[in-house]
Amino acid sequence: MASSRNPPITQISVMFICFVLPPLLGNVCFLLFFPSLCSWALHIIETVAVIVLLGLVGFRGANCVPTSNGLERDSGFSYEAINCRKHSASLTDFGGVGDGKTSNTIVFRKAIEHLSQFKSDDGSQLIVPPGKWLTGSFNLTSNFTLFLHKDAIILASQDEEEYPLIPPLPSYGRGRDAAGPRYAALIYGTNLTDVVITGNNGTIDGQGAYWWDKFHKNETNYTRPYLIEIMYSNQVQISNLTLFNSPNWNVHPVYSSNVLVLRITILAPIDSPNTDGINPDSCTNVRIEDSYVVSGDDCIAVKSGWDQYGIAFGMPTKHVIIRRFTCISPDSAVIALGSEMSGGIEDVRVEDVIAINSEAAVRIKTAPGRGGYVKDIFARRFKMDTMKYVFWMTGAYGSHPDEGYDPNALPVIKDISYSDMVAQNVTMSANLAGIENDTFTGICISNVSIELSPKPKKVQWNCTDIAGITSVVNPPPCSLLPDNGSSSCPFPTDKLPIDDIQFQTCPC
């Protein structure tokens, strides 16, 4: 049985914010100011409107009223929550205190340990009720849902003692910040099946300023914790959450399959270090949809291991879908492939993307020593405003884990297709630099219109050690990408298995 929390006046307000305000402001804006600035502002307004809508309605279509678990009586409040598991409990049932000051690390660990006994009995759910729940790292279990109420905030502890040290990823050989072990993620899980992290747009606040400051001062002895990391797992779903100020990467599924990331908002200062949004890493069958990221690094970075360690581990990332995605990242890419790509990246399909004030729409990052490959990459229907580059390929990214890498391990970059893209206020159309004696091949760019900024680069297409074709592209590309007439670049028409996996909702 579903119920609505929004009175009619709230619903009317939501409709006004989302559907009336943007075009109204647009008409006024375009009459009074510069079109480029207005377009950028309207993208912001529209995106904020979507976030407001999602927050106010609380994704009601996915929610059911919990029954027969005493939660409403015991917790002293009424709320809606997904109740798709046979067994359910609230954090307060285990002594949780949501005052933003009391540590709940032991409480989270105790609650999930208790609920893990039900993983073979239709699974369990832990509800995080309204409040500010301070905690260090805790591990999830299988057949499990972590559900955040819309007024729940998980606050990441800044006490390093509350983050266990764990071994470096085998495909990386060391921590990213420092050699040796690394801190466990705030929300962590390994060797899991069927794990869901979701809510009514509840919040996970990484309180990253403490960690960023240490990083900038070169005082990090171990790699900073990620916000969410799920390893060696199958059937992973992360949705309907707002993630703030992660100490490091935000969402990191690694060595996993059948991963869904839906309706996530990720926010971090644009100068915060390494706050990547969503980083699928050596994963198969991944779908990222309807999400919004403001980041100090790449909004999405597809990865698969680092130099000799990634080559030896040999687990590619493949069959990835990215749809309806919005990004703001002035110093990084909207979609990055690499630079850690030594296990291989293939069959990545990206469509319907809005990029605002970002360094590049799609960037391939690699270097001698990486080995591996990036191939069969398809991107289409991008709308971009205020970009340094539209297309960027870097064959000299550098950054190696140690001196043991093989400089003769050259990456294979081929069959990269971009189509149906519009951009304005762009400084440079493309910077495409392959590797000497290791040409990046099969590049296809079609139906792309780029309007330049008031102070563009004199050379709009910088091309070295690449080969491909273009069609209906303006400004005219470099000679290494000759016009092939009216041919369009390919985009796959087959359906990937991950498209058949639906997000878990309860039968109301």
Side-chain angles (χ1 to χ4, degrees), residues 200-339:
N200 291 95
N201 203 29
T203 298
I204 302 173
D205 185 345
Q207 301 201 107
Y210 166 81
W211 301 93
W212 306 334
D213 184 60
K214 290 197 67 172
F215 177 80
H216 286 308
K217 293 178 178 178
N218 198 27
E219 295 176 352
T220 50
N221 296 319
Y222 306 104
T223 297
R224 291 161 288 152
Y226 303 140
L227 209 58
I228 299 172
E229 182 176 67
I230 307 296
M231 299 176 57
Y232 298 110
S233 297
N234 183 34
Q235 302 174 41
V236 178
Q237 299 189 1
I238 304 170
S239 76
N240 301 355
L241 297 169
T242 297
L243 310 182
F244 276 117
N245 296 339
S246 177
N248 203 333
W249 299 351
N250 278 270
V251 178
H252 185 222
V254 58
Y255 317 142
S256 295
S257 59
N258 299 311
V259 178
L260 297 182
V261 181
L262 310 175
R263 298 184 293 276
I264 292 291
T265 298
I266 296 174
L267 303 172
I270 58 174
D271 60 350
S272 54
N274 311 118
T275 51
D276 299 41
I278 305 165
N279 288 6
D281 194 344
S282 293
C283 289
T284 299
N285 291 328
V286 178
R287 195 169 95 227
I288 301 168
E289 291 180 337
D290 302 306
S291 294
Y292 171 81
V293 177
V294 179
S295 171
D297 211 311
D298 300 319
C299 287
I300 294 177
V302 183
K303 299 177 180 290
S304 68
W306 200 3
D307 285 6
Q308 71 271 29
Y309 302 103
I311 294 171
F313 196 76
M315 183 179 289
T317 291
K318 58 185 179 179
H319 309 319
V320 177
I321 294 172
I322 301 169
R323 296 192 185 109
R324 299 181 299 277
F325 184 74
T326 299
C327 167
I328 299 175
S329 184
D331 295 318
S332 291
V334 178
I335 309 293
L337 303 159
S339 74

Side-chain angles (χ1 to χ4, degrees), residues 88 134 145 171 328 352 357 407 437 479 499 504 507-508:
S88 186
L134 182 67
T145 297
S171 60
I328 299 175
D352 302 315
N357 190 24
N437 299 320
S479 60
D499 253 337
Q504 289 190 17
C508 298

Side-chain angles (χ1 to χ4, degrees), residues 16 30 52 60 69 115 167 169 204 224 293 348 367 405 426 481:
F16 175 80
F30 275 96
V52 170
R60 286 175 296 159
N69 57 19
L115 292 170
L169 295 168
I204 302 173
R224 291 161 288 152
V293 177
V348 178
Y405 76 95
V426 174
L481 297 172

Side-chain angles (χ1 to χ4, degrees), residues 6 72 87 96 99 125 160 168-169 224 268 376-377 436 442 449 452 496 502-504:
N6 295 325
E72 183 173 326
H87 305 275
D99 61 3
Q125 170 180 264
E160 297 179 30
L169 295 168
R224 291 161 288 152
D376 300 327
I377 309 300
E436 187 176 2
S449 175
L452 303 181
L496 292 179
Q502 300 299 312
F503 180 73
Q504 289 190 17

